[in-house]
């Protein structure tokens, strides 16, 4: 078994899952655009800030194009698509 | 043919003013932050795509204004303000507005490759763009067709309301902090 790395998590099923997004917490201003474009993997906390769900937490993949749209439209430029190889 | 170009130029110019105002309103709504996430997404998506659509109308407006030969406006005047042979001041305001549009669109397309501060500095110049376009439209909308002048006036009212709302709109975070402070702690 190979050791896990940020890009290869095959040996750690709890962390492995679909490609997802990351939030720059400092830049995020809570418009909520990501949550409406990525309903499967992002939900908003009670203050309207995004919580990214991993597969283990019940998150589902919203698809490449939805992720790209969310990154492009984030008004605060606080969303990044996570690269997985 | 020449007459057609003149009419197309008028029509696309007027349409551009309406579209610019719509983009301004949508931008103010984005910055002023409505609370519902879904409408926020529609607003920011429309802001972006309408702005790009407006650029197409503007290109048609400027292209036809240069091509038609009733009045002397050449290609240089499309980019360098106050150089037109016809009404240099009022055409020049439109040219200035177009130059700002070019800067705002270019920086927004490259938004993710620029620093937020640089992007924002350029994006805020849109607040100068909009009144320039309105004055240009009002001054060039000559008197025999009242609709041409009515459109910029109506747009000024609508845009002014949006900007006023933006100025007094409370940040969603502020409201929530207030709500947390007043809630019962158990």
């Amino acid at each position: 078994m190979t050791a896990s790395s940020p890009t290869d998590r095959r040996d750690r099923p709890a962390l492995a899952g679909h490609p997802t997004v990351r939030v720059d917490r400092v830049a995020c201003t809570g418009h909520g655009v990501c949550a409406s474009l990525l309903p499967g993997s992002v939900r908003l906390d009670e203050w309207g800030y995004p919580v990214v769900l991993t597969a283990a937490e019940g998150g589902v993949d919203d698809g490449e194009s939805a992720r790209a749209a969310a990154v492009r439209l984030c008004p605060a430029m606080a969303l990044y698509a996570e690269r997985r190889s | 043919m020449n007459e057609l170009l003149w009419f197309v130029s008028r029509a696309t110019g007027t349409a551009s003013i309406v579209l610019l105002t719509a983009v301004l309103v949508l931008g103010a709504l984005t910055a002023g932050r409505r609370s519902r996430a879904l409408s926020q997404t529609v607003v920011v998506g429309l802001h972006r795509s309408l702005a790009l659509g407006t650029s197409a109308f503007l290109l048609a407006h400027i292209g036809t204004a240069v091509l038609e030969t009733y009045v002397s406006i050449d290609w240089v005047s499309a980019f360098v303000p106050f150089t037109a042979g016809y009404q240099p001041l009022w055409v020049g305001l439109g040219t200035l507005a177009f130059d700002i549009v070019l800067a705002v669109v270019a920086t927004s397309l490259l938004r993710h490759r620029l620093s937020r501060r640089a992007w924002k500095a350029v994006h805020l110049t849109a607040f100068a763009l909009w009144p320039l376009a309105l004055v240009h439209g009002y001054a060039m909308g000559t008197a025999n067709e009242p609709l041409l002048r009515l459109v910029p006036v109506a747009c000024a009212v609508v845009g002014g309301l949006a900007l006023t709302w933006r100025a007094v709109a409370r940040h969603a975070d502020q409201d929530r902090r207030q709500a947390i402070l007043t809630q019962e702690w158990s």
Side-chain angles (χ1 to χ4, degrees), chain B residues 107-121:
Chain B
T107 50
S108 284
L109 288 176
L110 297 171
R111 196 167 72 115
H112 288 272
R113 291 166 188 271
L114 297 170
S115 75
R116 182 163 176 84
R117 179 177 289 190
W119 168 78
K120 186 148 195 183

Side-chain angles (χ1 to χ4, degrees), chain B residues 51-72:
Chain B
L52 290 171
T54 306
S55 313
F57 275 87
L58 268 182
L59 289 178
H61 170 62
I62 293 159
T64 48
V66 170
L67 286 176
E68 66 82 33
T69 52
Y70 275 138
V71 294
S72 66

Side-chain angles (χ1 to χ4, degrees), chain A residues 25-41:
Chain A
R25 297 275 161 204
V26 177
C28 178
T29 45
H31 283 84
V33 170
C34 50
S36 72
L37 288 174
L38 305 170
S41 52

Side-chain angles (χ1 to χ4, degrees), chain A residues 29-37 44 46-49 71-77 79, chain B residues 30-31 33-34 36-38 40-41 44-45 48 111-112 114-116 119 171 173 176 180:
Chain A
T29 45
H31 283 84
V33 170
C34 50
S36 72
L37 288 174
L44 297 179
E46 68 250 61
W47 296 282
Y49 287 84
V71 169
R72 194 171 57 241
L73 286 179
C74 172
M77 286 188 275
L79 204 65
Chain B
T30 301
R33 218 158 307 180
R34 297 273 320 271
R36 285 203 313 281
L38 183 65
Q40 192 70 126
T41 306
V44 71
R48 184 188 158 90
R111 196 167 72 115
H112 288 272
L114 297 170
S115 75
R116 182 163 176 84
W119 168 78
H171 194 295
D173 287 2
R176 290 202 172 91
I180 298 287

Side-chain angles (χ1 to χ4, degrees), chain B residues 81-114:
Chain B
F82 313 118
T83 54
Y86 168 73
Q87 302 213 9
L89 175 63
W90 303 128
V91 172
L93 293 184
T95 307
L96 266 181
F98 178 59
D99 290 339
I100 297 176
V101 166
L102 288 180
V104 169
V105 168
T107 50
S108 284
L109 288 176
L110 297 171
R111 196 167 72 115
H112 288 272
R113 291 166 188 271
L114 297 170

Side-chain angles (χ1 to χ4, degrees), chain B residues 1-157:
Chain B
M1 186 61 195
N2 214 13
E3 199 166 54
L4 181 70
L5 286 174
W6 176 246
F7 282 129
V8 169
S9 190
R10 286 283 170 104
T12 49
T14 304
S16 300
I17 283 177
V18 175
L19 286 168
L20 271 178
T21 305
V23 171
L24 176 95
V25 171
L26 291 164
L29 286 175
T30 301
R33 218 158 307 180
R34 297 273 320 271
S35 53
R36 285 203 313 281
L38 183 65
S39 64
Q40 192 70 126
T41 306
V42 174
V43 165
V44 71
L46 264 180
H47 173 68
R48 184 188 158 90
S49 38
L50 267 190
L52 290 171
T54 306
S55 313
F57 275 87
L58 268 182
L59 289 178
H61 170 62
I62 293 159
T64 48
V66 170
L67 286 176
E68 66 82 33
T69 52
Y70 275 138
V71 294
S72 66
I73 301 172
D74 58 19
W75 287 110
V76 176
S77 310
F79 299 99
V80 185
F82 313 118
T83 54
Y86 168 73
Q87 302 213 9
L89 175 63
W90 303 128
V91 172
L93 293 184
T95 307
L96 266 181
F98 178 59
D99 290 339
I100 297 176
V101 166
L102 288 180
V104 169
V105 168
T107 50
S108 284
L109 288 176
L110 297 171
R111 196 167 72 115
H112 288 272
R113 291 166 188 271
L114 297 170
S115 75
R116 182 163 176 84
R117 179 177 289 190
W119 168 78
K120 186 148 195 183
V122 177
H123 216 72
L124 288 177
T125 60
F127 285 117
L129 181 179
W130 179 69
L132 281 174
L134 288 189
V135 173
H136 165 81
Y138 184 82
M140 306 284 292
T142 34
N144 58 358
E145 190 51 84
L147 190 66
L148 285 178
R149 293 204 134 160
L150 201 67
V151 168
V153 171
C155 285
V157 172

